[in-house]
Amino acid sequence: MSAHWMMSGMGVWRACMRTLIVSMVLWSGMQGVLAGEAAPLAADPALEARMMAIASELRCLVCQNQTVADSHSGLATDLRQEIRGLLQQGQTDQQVRDYMTARYGDFILYRPPVNASTALLWFGPALLAVVGLLVLWRVLRQRARMNPQDFEPDQPESADIG
């Protein structure tokens, strides 16, 4: 009886293994369907390299901390496709950047130009550092001019803990 049980156990084990293998094969085939289509590439590798160079200079408007080239958002995919289309129409790299800036504003650029609307962005950190150093210098200068009697003496710690 135990030999029969072992044989039926082996049959169950084989059936489980077959089921597992078939499931894995079917699942791997479904991954392509679930992942969606790959982004279409330009037939010309030079055109694709130009598109990626431009996309790496533009900020993803959804992610905001990634470039259009690095982002996997739907908008970034659409923007890469739009850049690819503009380049295929014969526009120069600068014309594509100008088009994107006209459409989305200077915010889309990772390195926005220095102008009146971006001056605080460019010079704000340096201005804050200068103001902080001036305040520190003034406070230290005033403290140096004070009499030692103007400072509160240190209170001795009481040894009597009641």
Side-chain angles (χ1 to χ4, degrees):
M1 174 113 178
S2 67
H4 177 44
W5 179 81
M6 285 181 62
M7 289 301 286
S8 66
M10 290 296 283
V12 170
W13 186 82
R14 285 184 185 151
C16 287
M17 287 306 292
R18 281 190 210 123
T19 304
L20 179 64
I21 291 170
V22 169
S23 298
M24 288 172 44
V25 168
L26 290 175
W27 180 252
S28 67
M30 289 296 293
Q31 289 300 311
V33 173
L34 295 174
E37 291 184 26
L41 298 176
D44 182 9
L47 184 72
E48 191 67 18
R50 283 178 60 203
M51 185 276 302
M52 289 304 286
I54 294 170
S56 67
E57 297 174 7
L58 302 177
R59 178 187 324 274
C60 177
L61 299 171
V62 174
C63 307
Q64 296 182 9
N65 61 345
Q66 287 184 313
T67 65
V68 170
D70 295 335
S71 176
H72 297 291
S73 72
L75 178 63
T77 303
D78 292 343
L79 288 175
R80 284 191 300 269
Q81 185 63 33
E82 190 169 358
I83 293 168
R84 192 177 289 120
L86 292 171
L87 292 174
Q88 287 171 341
Q89 293 172 7
Q91 292 192 15
T92 65
D93 294 3
Q94 188 57 46
Q95 287 174 325
V96 172
R97 281 187 214 94
D98 292 342
Y99 172 80
M100 291 293 179
T101 304
R103 189 167 182 186
Y104 299 105
D106 285 337
F107 182 76
I108 198 167
L109 300 173
Y110 253 105
R111 284 176 245 113
V114 179
N115 58 31
S117 66
T118 61
L120 190 60
L121 172 70
W122 282 101
F123 304 114
L127 181 64
L128 284 174
V130 168
V131 168
L133 287 173
L134 286 173
V135 168
L136 177 65
W137 176 75
R138 185 169 180 182
V139 167
L140 291 176
R141 200 171 110 211
Q142 286 177 349
R143 288 182 68 107
R145 291 182 182 169
M146 291 175 69
N147 286 330
Q149 291 82 15
D150 293 341
F151 293 101
E152 292 183 20
D154 290 338
Q155 300 293 329
E157 291 186 27
S158 133
D160 298 325
I161 302 179

